[in-house]
Amino acid sequence: MNMTSEEKRLIKDCRIAVIGAIEFIDNIKAELKQLGFESIQIISPSDEMTIPSNVDVIAENVNQGGSRLSEDMTIPLILPFDFVNGAGVIVVMPDDERDIICKPDLRQWAATYMAGYCAFWNVDGCEWLRDSLSDIRNGVTSNAALKTAAHICARIAANIAVGREVKHFPRFYLCKNLE
């Protein structure tokens, strides 16, 4: 991804929160650092912070000081998902309804939502997600899907930082594994 010096500065100054399972940490940190995000803070549920009980980890770029997810509703939230044979990402912008992050099994809810959307609108190339639903229900994960989700997530974060339009909930990103 070729960037101008202005885009690199915007990325350095941008604040976003990435909310996902603990398995995403290494992949997401690597992808975000590669694009120029510098101050990446990893916050776990054991930290003294109010986060939804169903969220394992928050990786947050905090170039402008600390933040509490429950208090700071001015930053975009990026939610990556490992869907075994591929990945999905939902973006929740500051003005969007944020109830989505309180779903009891967010990964399974997101997979079912995206598969249903694809079926309803006859979206081509989503068969892999429908075929993955039973694995997702059974808690199966995939390193390739984690890497794919992290890659998509970092690109979305960079696009948000430089002011490009991104799809946000109820729209989403979906991609078969890159490897």
Side-chain angles (χ1 to χ4, degrees), residues 14-43:
C14 180
R15 293 180 63 222
I16 53 116
V18 178
I19 302 175
I22 199 161
E23 293 83 12
F24 283 102
I25 288 177
D26 292 337
N27 291 321
I28 286 179
K29 278 176 65 176
E31 290 283 345
L32 289 173
K33 284 182 184 268
Q34 184 177 350
L35 289 177
F37 288 92
E38 294 179 356
S39 301
I40 300 168
Q41 180 180 7
I42 304 301
I43 304 165

Side-chain angles (χ1 to χ4, degrees), residues 15-170:
R15 293 180 63 222
I16 53 116
V18 178
I19 302 175
I22 199 161
E23 293 83 12
F24 283 102
I25 288 177
D26 292 337
N27 291 321
I28 286 179
K29 278 176 65 176
E31 290 283 345
L32 289 173
K33 284 182 184 268
Q34 184 177 350
L35 289 177
F37 288 92
E38 294 179 356
S39 301
I40 300 168
Q41 180 180 7
I42 304 301
I43 304 165
S44 73
S46 61
D47 295 335
E48 292 183 18
M49 178 176 174
T50 306
I51 60 175
S53 59
N54 64 326
V55 173
D56 290 332
V57 165
I58 296 174
E60 184 179 354
N61 185 43
V62 285
N63 288 321
Q64 300 168 350
S67 163
R68 298 280 187 256
L69 179 62
S70 61
E71 298 167 11
D72 189 350
M73 297 303 213
T74 63
I75 58 175
L77 307 178
I78 302 174
L79 294 81
F81 300 100
D82 163 356
F83 290 153
V84 186
N85 295 308
V89 177
I90 293 176
V91 177
V92 182
M93 297 304 278
D95 292 335
D96 294 342
E97 180 59 50
R98 292 186 174 221
D99 288 347
I100 185 176
I101 64 172
C102 297
K103 301 277 183 197
D105 186 341
L106 188 54
R107 178 183 182 229
Q108 185 174 330
W109 177 87
T112 303
Y113 168 75
M114 292 178 191
Y117 181 99
C118 289
F120 183 82
W121 293 106
N122 295 317
V123 178
D124 287 333
C126 295
E127 298 78 22
W128 65 266
L129 177 58
R130 188 184 60 247
D131 295 343
S132 300
L133 288 175
S134 65
D135 284 341
I136 294 165
R137 275 191 294 276
N138 292 323
V140 175
T141 61
S142 158
N143 283 335
L146 290 171
K147 289 178 183 176
T148 300
H151 182 78
I152 298 167
C153 183
R155 296 311 183 265
I156 292 168
N159 284 332
I160 290 170
V162 300
R164 292 188 188 110
E165 188 170 327
V166 297
K167 294 189 278 187
H168 55 97
F169 190 74

